[in-house]
């Protein structure tokens, strides 16, 4: 259970590290056994397909890529007075909310930048981090339509649908490499994918959006990719 393991991930004590290692090995062995017994395998990205081939010595012909897809309503325009950056999470540890705190700290005196934590409640001392708790799907889409950036510095994802949903509503993705968003490579957004979850790198990416005179083009490109 990765939600359980994530609670131990940032701890430095030896017992936690041993528990995490043993649980990870158990998960890897059982997963590998099931995959090798399968007739066909469906994965969400080319990067994960390559990982399966290299690690488990599988035939490429057995693996199929099916990207996430969905259908949602259209919108006409965004109407708001400040930059909204979304952090949508039901597992704050795995998605590294501590990185959000450090990034938000850089903008603490900038009233034009606000961070919104959605889905799981969160209390922050930062005045520019606002918790919106749970929303139903339609309300979430409406909020995405009023936002600018989807921010996800997670260390373990499988091409999260929430990024695609936010991009459909013209949100610009600033994310970690571990999100495995293959469709963003070789696009204008590749420079917004962090290789090492660097706080400084995320701040540079956000500033690049803030200072971009053609930010509407970025938003339109995000939707076109989806």
């Amino acid at each position: 259970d990765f939600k359980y393991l994530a609670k131990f991930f940032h701890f430095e004590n030896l017992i936690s590290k041993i528990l995490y290692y043993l649980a990870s090995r158990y998960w890897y062995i059982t997963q590998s056994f099931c995959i090798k017994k399968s007739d066909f395998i469906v994965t969400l990205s080319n990067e994960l397909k390559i990982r399966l081939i290299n690690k488990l010595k599988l035939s490429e012909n057995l693996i199929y890529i099916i990207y996430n897809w969905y259908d949602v309503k259209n919108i006409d325009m965004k109407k708001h007075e400040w930059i909204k950056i979304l952090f949508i999470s039901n597992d704050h540890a795995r998605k590294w909310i501590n990185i959000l705190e450090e990034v938000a700290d850089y903008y603490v005196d900038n009233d034009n930048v606000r961070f919104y934590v959605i889905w799981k409640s969160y209390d922050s001392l930062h005045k520019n981090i606002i918790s919106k708790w749970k929303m139903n799907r339609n309300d979430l889409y409406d909020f995405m339509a009023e936002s600018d950036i989807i921010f996800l510095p997670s260390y373990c994802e499988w091409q999260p649908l929430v990024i695609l949903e936010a991009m459909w509503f013209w949100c610009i993705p600033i994310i970690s490499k571990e999100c495995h968003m293959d469709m963003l490579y070789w696009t204008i957004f590749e420079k917004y994918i962090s290789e090492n979850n660097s706080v400084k790198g995320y701040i540079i990416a956000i500033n690049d959006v803030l200072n971009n005179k053609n930010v509407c083009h970025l938003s339109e490109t995000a939707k076109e990719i989806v």
Side-chain angles (χ1 to χ4, degrees), residues 72-201:
V72 294
K73 62 184 180 181
N74 270 305
I75 58 172
D76 296 321
M77 64 182 67
K78 295 175 182 285
K79 301 175 183 177
H80 52 275
E81 299 176 356
W82 50 76
I83 298 298
K84 290 185 177 180
I85 300 177
L86 303 184
F87 180 91
I88 302 175
S89 164
N90 60 2
D91 186 349
H92 293 336
R94 178 167 59 85
K95 297 179 189 294
W96 270 6
I97 201 166
N98 59 305
I99 291 180
L100 175 74
E101 288 276 352
E102 294 183 56
V103 173
D105 188 56
Y106 178 85
Y107 297 99
V108 70
D109 294 323
N110 188 339
D111 292 332
N112 292 321
V113 179
R114 302 185 188 180
F115 297 80
Y116 292 84
V117 177
I118 298 175
W119 197 249
K120 184 177 180 180
S121 63
Y122 182 72
D123 294 323
S124 175
L125 297 177
H126 283 307
K127 64 180 182 180
N128 59 346
I129 297 181
I130 303 161
S131 180
K132 299 295 289 185
W133 192 209
K134 285 188 177 181
M135 294 183 178
N136 64 47
R137 186 62 61 179
N138 287 332
D139 289 342
L140 177 59
Y141 288 157
D142 289 339
F143 201 80
M144 286 177 173
E146 293 294 323
S147 302
D148 303 276
I149 293 172
I150 177 70
F151 178 49
L152 194 62
S154 179
Y155 69 76
C156 181
E157 295 289 342
W158 308 101
Q159 196 183 113
L161 183 61
V162 68
I163 296 178
L164 293 172
E165 290 175 321
M167 288 174 61
W168 178 265
F169 288 109
W170 303 345
C171 289
I172 297 162
I174 296 179
I175 61 175
S176 69
K177 178 185 177 182
E178 296 307 315
C179 289
H180 300 295
M181 299 296 290
D182 288 359
M183 69 287 294
L184 298 185
Y185 287 98
W186 306 105
T187 75
I188 196 171
F189 299 120
E190 183 171 7
K191 62 181 178 179
Y192 297 156
I193 301 174
S194 175
E195 294 288 327
N196 54 6
N197 258 347
S198 162
V199 171
K200 181 179 179 181

